Amino acid sequence: MSDIIHLLPDSVANQIAAGEVIQRPASVLKELIENAIDAGATAIHILVRQAGKTLIQVSDNGRGMSETDARMAFERHTTSKIRDASDLFVLNTLGFRGEALASIAAVAQVEMHTRREEDDLGTLIEIAASRVFRQEIVQCAKGTTFQVKNLFFNVPARRRFLKSDNAERNHLLQEFFRIALAYPQIEFEYYDDQTLVYQLASTNTKCRIEAIFGKSQKKKWEQQLLTVEVNSTLVTVRGFAGKPEFAQRTANQYFFVNKRYMRHPYFHRAVMMAYDRLLQPNENPNYFIYFELSPETIDVNIHPAKTEIKFENESAIFSILSAAVKQTLGKFHVAPSLDFNMEGAPDFQARQSKDFDNIRPPVVQFNPAYNPFNTANTYKRDSSEWEKLYRNLGNSEKPDEKIDFADSNFDPDVLQHFEKDSDTDFFQLKSRFIAVPTKSGLLIVEQHRAHIRILFDKIMAQLTENKPFSQQVMFPEEICFDAADLLFFADLLPELEKAGFVFTKTGDNTFIINGIPSVMNTCSAEKLLHKIIDDSKNTQQNSVSSMHEIIALSLAETAAIRAGQTLAPAEMKDLVQRLFECKENVYSPEGKRVIEILGFAEIEKRFE
Ligand code: ADP
Ligand code: MG
């Protein structure tokens, strides 16, 4: 038998490597901008078409390439940035692997124009699926322009894997922000088709942050950024922390290390520790933190497409960071001063004491089968008898249907508790739970979740039937969106209208909210809409039904009666009855427990 191992052709190897580096249009954009920055560009112009699926173009005024380098650049493992392994440890360029261009050229049609300052003429190269089609001497501007067309044209499986245009546009923008925030002195222009989405002049970090995020809410951004700065031998930390009152559900939180964006869940905790007790539940502060430290003490070489970075002195930096943010918040009188004085920088050490070991983490109960995207029967009802018993209880459509008690140990009389007129059997515990004695035990309902379930089902029905119930607003609020949010809003708009929202467009990214769903009470519609957009950003799905779920859940959450609200017996009865009319009533739409029953067997056991 002949040998069976053979070397893969370059084009195949490149395509495989591309799978690692190039996942979506945003990955191409990132690599091209990073190359432009490494080439010393001071101005970078970006144009994308159809969310980058048909074109991503990046032009720079950097140093350009010679004719030979232009050709070499597309080979795998060709780079001008490192020469040997030791260079890896003192990296000061964004790229170094030399595989981005080879990967892009393996899965797209690429055209590149490039010219160095010292050359009269430049080079044009056309390459697709790793094959060079054209190389010519041409006249062109100093610098380099890449046009990457029809990404994944030769890898249909990857093309299908891409998300909706708006979701991909959002990825592109997020990637763009990460770089534009790290290089405020570089000028950027970002066109989406004909629209100039961002024009960013060369500036300082603070103004760059405001230029990007303050586009629609300028005042809000000017007021909120507090300076963080600390210099130590280990690390320099500078940047901005947002005032707690500007915290939002999905905040803009950025870490950069030596001008490279990174994710760092551990350092995130350090920042959040500094905000301890200054935030409402589910609110997150904006922050932009820039670390500068010796490149030898970090390792960026973990994975080409990953943004995690390893630090040598992680726990020391954690302490420095947390203390620095805390000090900033204290200095600007954001944190209560008493709190600050008593719990300044050394706080983290106290938590690392021996006692820490004795603290047991809370046990979080969740439903492992929970899938927020399945509407129907998300939960397999667990088949405990009492649930079967209650299944048709209060089902107004079929009042006469007999419940089959054959497989139940419960006394059918239990039902009569609900049917008799007396309200006295409903009582409230801690203004949060409704307790109802039944023949088989004590039924306990969490009032807020129960109401969420009821409203959620009702709103979902309205959305699918497209029968909006709207109420006019007395004092209409204005709502503004930044570029990324506007994309999501455009997708959500028809569904929001089905829910009962009425909008009037007053500017490119400004709307007046004239009508709101009739279930809504006093809450701010603007805040709610931003939350809905945040939620839709965070979901993996783009389907209409997932949008419905997000809208219905947000509305239900704001409109539902709260824990802590005292209820009259008649209200409790009404709530419990309506809960039993819901198809699913054991869990709330978020997967939290709504009903429990404390059976008599259990109660009796406790008295043994
Ligand atoms: P890396 O950035 O890791 O070196 P790439 O595949 O991204 O690898 O690029 C290969 C090489 O092509 C770079 O090292 C650089 O010399 C050259 N190059 C790429 N883009 C540009 C550009 N915009 N301007 C000048 N040179 C570039
Ligand atoms: Mg590169």
Side-chain angles (χ1 to χ4, degrees):
M1 209 171 121
S2 64
D3 298 334
I4 53 169
I5 297 179
H6 56 93
L7 197 64
L8 288 173
D10 265 1
S11 58
V12 178
N14 284 341
Q15 215 184 77
I16 294 170
E20 295 258 299
V21 189
I22 306 299
Q23 282 141 352
R24 49 174 21 100
S27 347
V28 175
L29 183 67
K30 170 180 185 278
E31 296 297 340
L32 295 182
I33 306 179
E34 288 189 349
N35 280 345
I37 291 173
D38 285 345
T42 57
I44 299 174
H45 293 181
I46 298 152
L47 163 66
V48 298
R49 290 229 160 90
Q50 213 201 322
K53 291 174 185 171
T54 53
L55 176 70
I56 302 158
Q57 178 178 315
V58 176
S59 310
D60 68 56
N61 61 354
R63 71 179 69 93
M65 284 173 258
S66 72
E67 201 187 330
T68 323
D69 282 353
R71 178 65 195 81
M72 279 289 283
F74 289 98
E75 295 293 327
R76 203 136 66 94
H77 305 307
T78 51
T79 177
S80 55
K81 298 168 194 174
I82 55 170
R83 291 205 167 269
D84 55 43
S86 65
D87 290 349
L88 271 177
F89 301 100
V90 288
L91 214 57
N92 49 23
T93 54
L94 288 163
F96 59 88
R97 290 187 179 76
E99 53 187 6
L101 290 185
S103 300
I104 294 168
V107 292
Q109 299 156 348
V110 183
E111 209 176 298
M112 179 185 79
H113 289 81
T114 187
R115 182 170 73 80
R116 297 183 300 179
E117 177 123 61
E118 62 266 39
D119 300 333
D120 292 333
L121 290 169
T123 308
L124 159 68
I125 288 191
E126 258 185 61
I127 180 165
S130 302
R131 279 183 49 206
V132 180
F133 286 91
R134 197 143 73 110
Q135 173 155 9
E136 278 170 23
I137 305 294
V138 291
Q139 264 189 329
C140 61
K142 177 206 156 198
T144 308
T145 295
F146 278 95
Q147 290 176 300
V148 176
K149 296 175 196 162
N150 302 320
L151 184 62
F152 301 136
F153 79 101
N154 57 340
V155 204
R158 303 226 88 198
R159 210 177 161 82
R160 276 198 297 277
F161 174 78
L162 294 178
K163 293 203 198 142
S164 74
D165 283 1
N166 279 350
E168 292 300 340
R169 275 197 186 96
N170 182 49
H171 281 294
L172 287 164
L173 282 175
Q174 298 309 325
E175 214 58 77
F176 171 64
F177 294 162
R178 290 171 183 185
I179 301 174
L181 288 168
Y183 291 88
Q185 74 286 3
I186 297 181
E187 186 192 305
F188 286 96
E189 256 180 38
Y190 188 112
Y191 274 91
D192 187 326
D193 250 316
Q194 314 288 331
T195 317
L196 178 58
V197 187
Y198 283 99
Q199 180 157 38
L200 304 174
S202 168
T203 181
N204 60 24
T205 306
K206 190 167 187 208
C207 293
R208 177 57 58 91
I209 296 171
E210 286 165 9
I212 292 180
F213 298 106
K215 201 178 168 196
S216 57
Q217 294 150 307
K218 201 158 186 305
K219 263 219 203 82
K220 194 172 133 182
W221 278 89
E222 282 167 4
Q223 288 165 7
Q224 76 157 306
L225 297 179
L226 306 174
T227 309
V228 176
E229 181 148 19
V230 59
N231 291 299
S232 77
T233 45
L234 211 57
V235 64
T236 299
V237 182
R238 50 171 206 100
F240 301 93
K243 286 187 190 161
E245 64 260 41
F246 293 97
Q248 55 206 74
R249 200 152 166 280
T250 307
N252 296 294
Q253 302 182 328
Y254 289 86
F255 283 130
F256 300 90
V257 56
N258 297 349
K259 301 199 162 200
R260 189 190 289 269
Y261 170 82
M262 68 161 179
R263 263 174 44 77
H264 209 293
Y266 181 61
F267 289 167
H268 171 74
R269 268 182 34 218
V271 175
M272 294 307 281
M273 242 171 83
Y275 279 92
D276 190 24
R277 275 172 286 162
L278 296 173
L279 300 169
Q280 304 291 325
N282 290 327
E283 282 191 351
N284 292 296
N286 295 303
Y287 63 74
F288 304 84
I289 305 284
Y290 299 74
F291 299 90
E292 300 282 342
L293 72 174
S294 160
E296 290 132 80
T297 63
I298 56 172
D299 179 9
V300 292
N301 196 10
I302 302 178
H303 186 281
K306 290 239 168 82
T307 44
E308 274 90 9
I309 290 182
K310 266 197 149 50
F311 285 68
E312 211 172 271
N313 302 301
E314 221 160 54
S315 65
I317 296 175
F318 180 102
S319 319
I320 294 171
L321 172 64
S322 192
V325 176
K326 201 157 196 168
Q327 195 185 15
T328 293
L329 296 177
K331 198 156 61 192
F332 290 91
H333 303 294
V334 173
S337 56
L338 183 64
D339 179 39
F340 173 65
N341 290 338
M342 287 171 55
E343 290 188 293
D347 185 31
F348 61 91
Q349 270 159 357
R351 295 193 184 191
Q352 282 170 358
S353 74
K354 264 216 215 105
D355 290 349
F356 195 61
D357 296 339
N358 298 330
I359 299 173
R360 273 195 284 132
V363 182
V364 182
Q365 290 192 342
F366 65 99
N367 171 11
Y370 175 56
N371 172 353
F373 304 115
N374 289 349
T375 9
N377 296 327
T378 306
Y379 306 101
K380 265 209 123 52
R381 280 161 170 281
D382 69 48
S383 54
S384 61
E385 260 99 19
W386 67 270
E387 285 176 12
K388 285 189 213 143
L389 180 64
Y390 279 100
R391 191 173 310 159
N392 292 326
L393 193 64
N395 186 336
S396 51
E397 277 171 7
K398 302 175 198 161
D400 295 323
E401 192 177 276
K402 286 274 178 293
I403 299 166
D404 181 13
F405 292 104
D407 58 349
S408 158
N409 294 326
F410 286 113
D411 186 331
D413 278 357
V414 75
L415 288 180
Q416 283 156 22
H417 275 279
F418 278 84
E419 272 143 25
K420 65 182 184 183
D421 271 340
S422 151
D423 291 332
T424 49
D425 289 339
F426 292 81
F427 55 94
Q428 215 178 0
L429 306 172
K430 289 205 113 178
S431 304
R432 175 175 175 199
F433 302 102
I434 300 168
V436 196
T438 68
K439 280 273 161 85
S440 48
L442 187 64
L443 174 73
I444 304 168
V445 172
E446 211 276 6
Q447 63 192 42
H448 179 59
R449 294 175 191 175
H451 203 195
I452 287 181
R453 166 51 76 190
I454 294 163
L455 292 172
F456 177 85
D457 284 11
K458 185 173 146 192
I459 300 161
M460 283 299 280
Q462 275 175 22
L463 283 167
T464 26
E465 288 160 21
N466 195 0
K467 282 192 205 143
F469 287 93
S470 193
Q471 54 179 319
Q472 223 179 334
V473 190
M474 201 103 81
F475 304 104
E477 285 174 279
E478 191 185 66
I479 186 161
C480 306
F481 301 104
D482 62 28
D485 284 3
L486 192 62
L487 299 171
F488 284 91
F489 180 68
D491 274 356
L492 284 162
L493 184 60
E495 310 313 317
L496 289 167
E497 285 173 345
K498 284 182 200 165
F501 285 100
V502 181
F503 299 97
T504 316
K505 194 170 167 144
T506 54
D508 277 352
N509 51 7
T510 340
F511 295 79
I512 302 283
I513 310 164
N514 287 312
I516 58 170
S518 50
V519 291
M520 268 179 78
N521 32 34
T522 50
C523 123
S524 148
E526 192 215 349
K527 219 170 166 178
L528 181 80
L529 286 163
H530 280 299
K531 177 182 173 293
I532 290 175
I533 288 171
D534 282 350
D535 288 349
S536 70
K537 270 188 203 166
N538 292 332
T539 157
Q540 299 301 313
Q541 306 230 336
N542 304 305
S543 63
V544 169
S545 71
S546 91
M547 283 192 237
H548 284 180
E549 283 176 27
I550 288 168
I551 294 170
L553 186 57
S554 297
L555 279 172
E557 272 170 351
T558 49
I561 52 163
R562 309 268 132 205
Q565 201 167 324
T566 312
L567 300 177
E571 289 172 316
M572 290 188 249
K573 182 179 178 184
D574 180 55
L575 193 75
V576 174
Q577 275 180 343
R578 279 159 65 201
L579 177 66
F580 281 110
E581 284 165 26
C582 296
K583 267 215 299 245
E584 167 61 67
N585 48 29
V586 182
Y587 290 100
S588 74
E590 310 135 285
K592 293 182 184 157
R593 195 89 193 179
V594 179
I595 303 175
E596 281 292 350
I597 197 161
L598 197 54
F600 280 123
E602 168 72 19
I603 296 172
E604 274 157 10
K605 211 163 83 197
R606 293 185 182 219
F607 288 93
E608 270 165 13

